């Protein structure tokens, strides 16, 4: 059976037998990969620490029938060590890798890989609030998958905006005629914050009031979970991150 190399981000791991692990990874060129890492739970393992969640590595894999086998692993980014020491960063990172795992079931592209690596690196550096990094990642990941939210024209009928209704199920902002009763209201400052998150305008994001950031976070969470069709369990632990 052939072998191949790729850069990967470790999304999650599961114990297998007494000393092995099944490692789920998002790779740069081969999409989502599930592989067995033999003996990594032993203290003598040469690459066990390189295959923990949030770690970025260059791996060589042996292609198996159902699961591949990790033969080598070299660290490219030891972000996990920094992330796990901060609760906010840790819970945000979990939500990010869970989202990447879900999106990888449908399609995984080099852009999704690079986006996740960049998000984890930013969390490890504590450059911005963990929730803002998470919100920016979620919006960009959804956009790369073809689900960018409408923030100007009506997502349902196309009427020119801006509009102040927001309905996740309809694709974003909606006009008065299309907005169901009880729709969320999108204030101008929240719309501007969402745009800044998508564009990576961090000076603007960091300067936003807490109320604006919190309102945007709620819309981002609702939009992402609706389009992924299943809830992101990790988001329940990050609702109050700020």
């Amino acid at each position: 059976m052939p072998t191949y190399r790729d850069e990967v981000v470790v999304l999650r791991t599961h114990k297998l037998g007494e000393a092995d692990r099944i490692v789920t990874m998002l790779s740069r060129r081969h999409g989502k990969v599930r592989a067995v890492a033999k003996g990594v739970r032993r203290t003598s393992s040469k690459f066990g620490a390189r295959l923990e969640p949030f770690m970025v590595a260059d791996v060589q894999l042996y292609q198996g029938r159902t699961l591949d086998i990790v033969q080598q692993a070299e660290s490219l980014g030891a972000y996990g060590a920094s992330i796990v020491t901060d609760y906010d960063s840790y819970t945000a990172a979990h939500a990010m890798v869970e989202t990447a795992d879900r999106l990888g079931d449908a399609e995984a592209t080099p852009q999704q890989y690079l986006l996740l690596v960049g998000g984890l690196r930013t969390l490890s550096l504590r450059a911005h609030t963990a929730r803002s990094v998470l919100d920016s990642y979620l919006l960009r990941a959804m956009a790369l998958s073809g689900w960018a939210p409408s923030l100007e024209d009506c997502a349902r009928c196309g009427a020119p905006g801006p509009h102040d209704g927001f309905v996740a199920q309809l694709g974003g902002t909606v006009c008065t005629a299309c907005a169901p009763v009880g729709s969320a209201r999108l204030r101008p400052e929240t719309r501007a914050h969402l745009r800044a998150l998508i564009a990576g305008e961090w000076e603007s994001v960091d300067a936003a009031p807490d109320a604006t950031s919190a309102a945007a976070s709620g819309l981002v969470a609702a939009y992402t979970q609706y389009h992924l069709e299943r809830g992101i369990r990790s988001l329940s632990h990050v609702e109050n991150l700020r």
Side-chain angles (χ1 to χ4, degrees):
M1 302 294 287
T3 61
Y4 63 98
R5 298 191 70 90
D6 207 344
E7 298 174 15
V8 302
V9 180
V10 178
L11 304 179
R12 54 191 171 90
T13 64
H14 293 97
K15 293 180 180 179
L16 179 67
E18 296 183 357
D20 305 338
R21 276 200 181 105
I22 296 176
V23 185
T24 302
M25 302 166 280
L26 180 66
S27 73
R28 185 166 188 160
R29 295 183 297 275
H30 294 84
K32 193 166 78 171
V33 176
R34 296 180 73 240
V36 176
K38 294 183 177 293
V40 295
R41 289 161 54 201
R42 297 193 181 101
T43 56
S44 60
S45 172
K46 295 180 179 179
F47 53 78
R50 302 167 193 168
L51 295 175
E52 294 292 336
F54 320 137
M55 303 296 277
V56 182
D58 182 315
V59 297
Q60 178 171 302
L61 299 132
Y62 177 92
Q63 188 174 347
R65 292 183 179 179
T66 56
L67 293 172
D68 296 346
I69 297 174
V70 179
Q71 295 181 316
Q72 296 178 11
E74 298 294 333
S75 178
L76 295 177
Y79 306 130
S82 174
I83 288 173
V84 299
T85 61
D86 178 72
Y87 179 78
D88 290 0
S89 298
Y90 178 72
T91 51
H94 262 293
M96 290 164 63
V97 297
E98 185 179 349
T99 300
D101 195 358
R102 296 279 183 81
L103 292 172
D105 287 334
E107 60 175 281
T109 64
Q111 291 76 22
Q112 290 282 9
Y113 166 83
L114 293 171
L115 178 65
L116 180 58
V117 170
L120 294 175
R121 181 190 298 116
T122 302
L123 283 178
S124 72
L125 295 174
R126 312 278 198 274
H128 311 284
T129 62
R131 188 60 197 258
S132 292
V133 175
L134 171 61
D135 289 341
S136 180
Y137 168 78
L138 292 176
L139 286 170
R140 294 185 189 189
M142 298 303 290
L144 285 174
S145 296
W147 294 321
S150 172
L151 297 176
E152 189 75 18
D153 298 340
C154 179
R156 185 173 183 272
C157 71
H163 303 291
D164 63 359
F166 190 95
V167 182
Q169 297 89 329
L170 296 179
T173 56
V174 290
C175 65
T176 302
C178 294
V181 176
S183 300
R185 298 290 95 185
L186 184 63
R187 298 175 64 87
E189 58 269 28
T190 306
R191 186 196 317 275
H193 188 67
L194 291 170
R195 290 190 183 280
L197 287 167
I198 293 174
E201 297 171 352
W202 288 105
E203 185 175 349
S204 176
V205 170
D206 294 341
D210 288 348
T212 299
S213 298
S217 293
L219 297 178
V220 172
Y223 187 85
T224 302
Q225 295 193 94
Y226 174 79
H227 286 281
L228 289 180
E229 299 181 350
R230 292 180 294 171
I232 301 172
R233 290 178 297 174
S234 304
L235 277 180
S236 64
H237 300 290
V238 299
E239 288 178 351
N240 297 318
L241 293 190
R242 189 49 42 213

